[in-house]
Amino acid sequence: MHIAILTFEGYNELDSLIALGVLNRVRTDDWRVTLATPGPRVTSMNGVVIEQMSTLEEACAADAVIVGSGVATREVTEDPEIMSVLRGLDPSRQLIAAQCSGALVLARLGLLDDIPACTDLITKPWVVAAGVEVLDRPFYAKDTIATAGGCLASPYLAAWTIARLAGNDAAEDALRYVAPVGEKEEYVQRAWRNIAPYLPVSAPALV
């Protein structure tokens, strides 16, 4: 099971790396989480350099993809080489999710047609201009496509992905592990209120 987090130049550390941490709470031999980058390394909006763990082409073949956000997302959507590769994303065979400005990537790829989205406040006007309704909530999903708005909504996106691929119990365990001490039950319940309405009755669905 491969989950790829698309991570571009100028990426937001909270979006890519929190998702990476939560997703890696699943400890099974066939579970692999990578940061997929367009080149050998990328630098975050705050100067954190990471090396490529998988390519964009490999991400398009993954079981699930999370499109991370950053300060250069509009430039990403205007890069014909990157967007050509990302047209290989296919919601009929993989989970596709977007964090904050990642929703703009999905919108430009035509993956949010007739699907409302969540995003951050800065990106909202661009997503609206792309013809997508933006919701005032942290998380929304329809079928195999999900979006989250706000950096600290990234655990919701990760938990939804875990629930779909490994089951609800695994998702709850991952959330409980990262939740603040003394607030674990409250945190898990709040997160679950946001993602549970968008899960199949019997998760996982794509295994």
Side-chain angles (χ1 to χ4, degrees):
M1 196 67 66
H2 179 201
I3 301 94
I5 303 170
L6 303 190
T7 306
F8 302 103
E9 194 68 25
Y11 73 92
N12 185 320
E13 305 94 335
L14 292 176
D15 294 342
S16 287
L17 300 183
I18 288 178
L20 179 77
V22 175
L23 287 162
N24 270 316
R25 297 319 306 166
V26 177
R27 303 294 190 185
T28 59
D29 291 339
D30 65 343
W31 190 265
R32 175 177 173 235
V33 185
T34 65
L35 298 175
T37 63
R41 59 187 54 84
V42 292
T43 303
S44 78
M45 58 193 294
N46 294 306
V48 178
V49 180
I50 58 169
E51 295 190 354
Q52 184 180 68
M53 298 173 68
S54 64
T55 65
L56 299 185
E57 289 82 1
E58 289 174 311
C60 289
D63 300 282
V65 177
I66 295 176
V67 184
S69 73
V71 295
T73 303
R74 283 193 296 177
E75 287 81 354
V76 169
T77 64
E78 293 166 1
D79 186 316
E81 185 175 349
I82 290 177
M83 294 300 282
S84 176
V85 173
L86 296 185
R87 288 188 181 91
L89 296 174
D90 185 354
S92 71
R93 59 175 174 80
Q94 59 189 170
L95 298 178
I96 300 176
Q99 177 67 41
C100 290
S101 65
L104 182 61
V105 176
L106 298 192
R108 294 285 177 82
L109 290 171
L111 295 175
L112 295 179
D113 292 348
D114 301 319
I115 300 177
C118 301
T119 190
D120 62 278
L121 297 179
I122 293 175
T123 307
K124 178 179 178 179
W126 307 332
V127 175
V128 170
V132 176
E133 177 190 359
V134 173
L135 303 172
D136 184 23
R137 64 181 73 171
F139 180 85
Y140 179 82
K142 182 178 181 182
D143 300 326
T144 58
I145 295 179
T147 53
C151 298
L152 295 184
S154 55
Y156 298 171
L157 210 59
W160 175 83
T161 303
I162 294 171
R164 292 296 307 266
L165 296 177
N168 293 358
D169 288 345
E172 287 196 30
D173 287 346
L175 286 169
R176 185 168 284 105
Y177 182 90
V178 302
V181 172
E183 300 177 0
K184 289 188 179 294
E185 291 307 316
E186 177 186 354
Y187 181 92
V188 170
Q189 289 173 12
R190 181 174 65 251
W192 208 248
R193 284 196 301 269
N194 281 287
I195 65 175
Y198 308 109
L199 293 172
V201 174
S202 56
L206 299 184
V207 174

